[in-house]
Amino acid sequence: MSRRPPRFLLGGRRFSPAASLALAAPFLLLLLVVFILPLVMLLHESLFVPAPSLGNYAHALEEPVYLRVMLRTLRIAFLVTLLALLLAWPLAWVMSRSRGVGLALLGAAVLLPLWTSVLVRTYAWMVLLQRNGIINQILGQLGLVGQPVRLLYTEGAVVLAMAHVLLPFMVLPLYSALKGIPEDYPRAAQMLGASPWATFREVIWPLCLPGVTSGCLMVFLLALGFFVTPALIGGPQQMMIATLVSQQVRELLDWPFAGALVGILLAFVLVLVLLFRRAVRLDRFVGQA
């Protein structure tokens, strides 16, 4: 017996694979023109300009200055992911157990920052953290410090500001995963004598692990390529790889070396995504959402 090609549902109607591809064609064309093609051209320059070689990549990996920038980028991205997870977990848990007006208010608190420019939120942190900012004024009025503390242009300030900007990308996957856990499961574990910690470790954590890994992956990948917040909050002392690429392109006009930096970052991201796909099946998580 011949099998019919699968059809996809959209608004109650069934579409063949050819029709689905035609509907997605404008988006795929836009993706090809504004993302894939420029990326391929940049990688091509990194490998074949001025001559076919891996010299640009070797220079990026052998120079201590560039290695420090790459390691700093990885460290900051990891710390931002960890802080976002610690901040997002309680909020996502409360949202998953809330109803009505309470859930609407919490959801608005998570989504409203996404409607505000990253530049505006970054400048707000600069107002808070500067030498004569609000935090230093409060610390001085409480008598905790004798003189203003250096908060701005530090790695801690960069991590805090980036975690605030990327927090919604951690909250939403966590909320989706926690929402799918029936309330009877933790209650049944407690009735069987499990402590709150044992209930969390044996019941809640395994069931919400797809949301945790998805949120961590999104936040980590976004943090790797962050530009505005580290440039303004961290300054030259806390340069990350996106700022370094911008410097090579705009100031030094060294497009091949900038392409090599992008290629190294792209290779790391691809390896990370492949490891993630092996650890957690993406189609399973999408099916639970």
Side-chain angles (χ1 to χ4, degrees):
M1 296 178 63
S2 60
R3 298 182 59 184
R4 294 182 178 179
R7 295 177 177 269
F8 303 93
L9 290 173
L10 180 63
R13 298 179 58 189
R14 293 182 178 273
F15 291 88
S16 65
S20 301
L21 182 61
L23 291 173
F27 169 75
L28 295 177
L29 181 62
L30 179 65
L31 185 66
L32 175 66
V33 172
V34 305
F35 178 71
I36 298 179
L37 184 60
L39 181 60
V40 171
M41 294 175 62
L42 190 60
L43 295 177
H44 179 271
E45 286 200 18
S46 70
L47 292 171
F48 296 98
V49 177
S53 70
L54 296 176
N56 293 313
Y57 291 87
H59 181 55
L61 295 175
E62 293 174 356
E63 185 64 35
V65 175
Y66 303 134
L67 281 177
R68 283 198 297 269
V69 172
M70 295 179 192
L71 293 177
R72 183 186 302 121
T73 301
L74 295 176
R75 182 175 65 250
I76 290 178
F78 173 78
L79 293 175
V80 168
T81 304
L82 180 61
L83 180 59
L85 178 60
L86 294 176
L87 294 176
W89 176 271
L91 178 58
W93 175 261
V94 174
M95 288 178 61
S96 67
R97 296 298 180 260
S98 300
R99 301 291 186 275
V101 178
L103 178 60
L105 292 176
L106 292 174
V110 173
L111 296 177
L112 279 178
L114 294 177
W115 302 344
T116 307
S117 170
V118 176
L119 187 62
V120 173
R121 285 180 280 174
T122 302
Y123 273 113
W125 277 107
M126 295 180 67
V127 172
L128 291 172
L129 299 174
Q130 64 184 344
R131 185 174 180 84
N132 296 320
I134 298 175
I135 295 180
N136 270 314
Q137 292 179 8
I138 294 176
L139 293 176
Q141 292 175 0
L142 295 176
L144 299 178
V145 296
Q147 57 184 0
V149 182
R150 183 172 179 267
L151 299 175
L152 200 59
Y153 305 125
T154 62
E155 186 172 303
V158 174
V159 171
L160 184 61
M162 289 177 59
H164 167 251
V165 173
L166 297 175
L167 191 62
F169 298 98
M170 183 69 76
V171 173
L172 296 178
L174 281 176
Y175 167 71
S176 178
L178 291 171
K179 186 70 174 179
I181 302 177
E183 297 183 7
D184 295 339
Y185 287 8
R187 190 179 302 116
Q190 294 175 2
M191 291 178 62
L192 293 174
S195 63
W197 169 245
T199 302
F200 172 80
R201 185 182 67 249
E202 302 295 338
V203 178
I204 298 175
W205 179 256
L207 292 176
C208 72
L209 192 58
V212 173
T213 51
S214 298
C216 289
L217 181 69
M218 283 193 293
V219 172
F220 188 82
L221 295 183
L222 291 172
L224 284 177
F226 237 58
F227 175 74
V228 174
T229 303
L232 296 178
I233 299 293
Q237 298 82 3
Q238 305 299 329
M239 179 182 292
M240 296 179 63
I241 193 169
T243 310
L244 180 60
V245 172
S246 175
Q247 181 188 71
Q248 297 296 321
V249 171
R250 298 175 58 187
E251 299 178 14
L252 303 178
L253 302 179
D254 194 349
W255 286 82
F257 184 66
L261 295 173
V262 172
I264 294 173
L265 182 62
L266 179 63
F268 179 80
V269 169
L270 291 177
V271 171
L272 185 65
V273 171
L274 291 176
L275 292 176
F276 170 76
R277 286 177 62 89
R278 293 193 62 179
V280 178
R281 294 181 56 190
L282 289 177
D283 55 348
R284 177 184 175 187
F285 175 68
V286 172
Q288 291 178 351

